[in-house]
Amino acid sequence: MKSHEGLVRLKLFQVKEKRRQLGQLDLMMGEFERMAAELDAQILSEEKKAGITDTTHFAYPTFAKAARQRRDNLFDSIRDLKAQKDEAEAALAESEAELAKAEALEQRDGKPREEETPPTDKRAMIG
């Protein structure tokens, strides 16, 4: 019978890789949200100093305008990352299903994975 051990290892690697990618996306989204919050604080501070909160006012602080644009760009990036995360979660679910199929094939063939095989006591066999 053909061993499915290589297939199981490949599928397990793919699942781990997709989980790692999801973790990276979560970290990036968290970092972007933190940066956007910092920009919000800077915008409020700048508006308070200038005493102008109307973005269309001719004397609205240039720094606040630039910070707003950077913050909006971060929000766009967060939206894009959320879409990527949704796609990655779907790919992870598919990979987990493929791993389950590969493990089922391996078990059907009667070849348990090494991690699941209990170690034998050789002294008991000797006699």
Side-chain angles (χ1 to χ4, degrees), residues 120-127:
T120 58
D121 190 6
K122 292 183 181 182
R123 293 180 300 201
M125 289 184 203
I126 295 174

Side-chain angles (χ1 to χ4, degrees), residues 39-98:
L39 286 170
D40 273 336
Q42 291 175 356
I43 291 167
L44 289 174
S45 172
E46 197 66 25
E47 288 176 347
K48 192 174 187 178
K49 275 196 274 182
I52 302 169
T53 57
D54 180 14
T55 57
T56 59
H57 192 277
F58 72 93
Y60 187 77
T62 306
F63 175 79
K65 277 185 185 178
R68 278 184 183 278
Q69 184 61 48
R70 285 195 306 270
R71 185 199 57 196
D72 293 344
N73 290 342
L74 284 171
F75 286 145
D76 290 343
S77 296
I78 291 169
R79 262 194 313 278
D80 292 344
L81 288 174
K82 284 182 182 177
Q84 287 179 20
K85 182 181 175 187
D86 291 342
E87 291 172 10
E89 286 172 341
L92 173 62
E94 184 179 322
S95 291
E96 287 174 339
E98 289 174 5

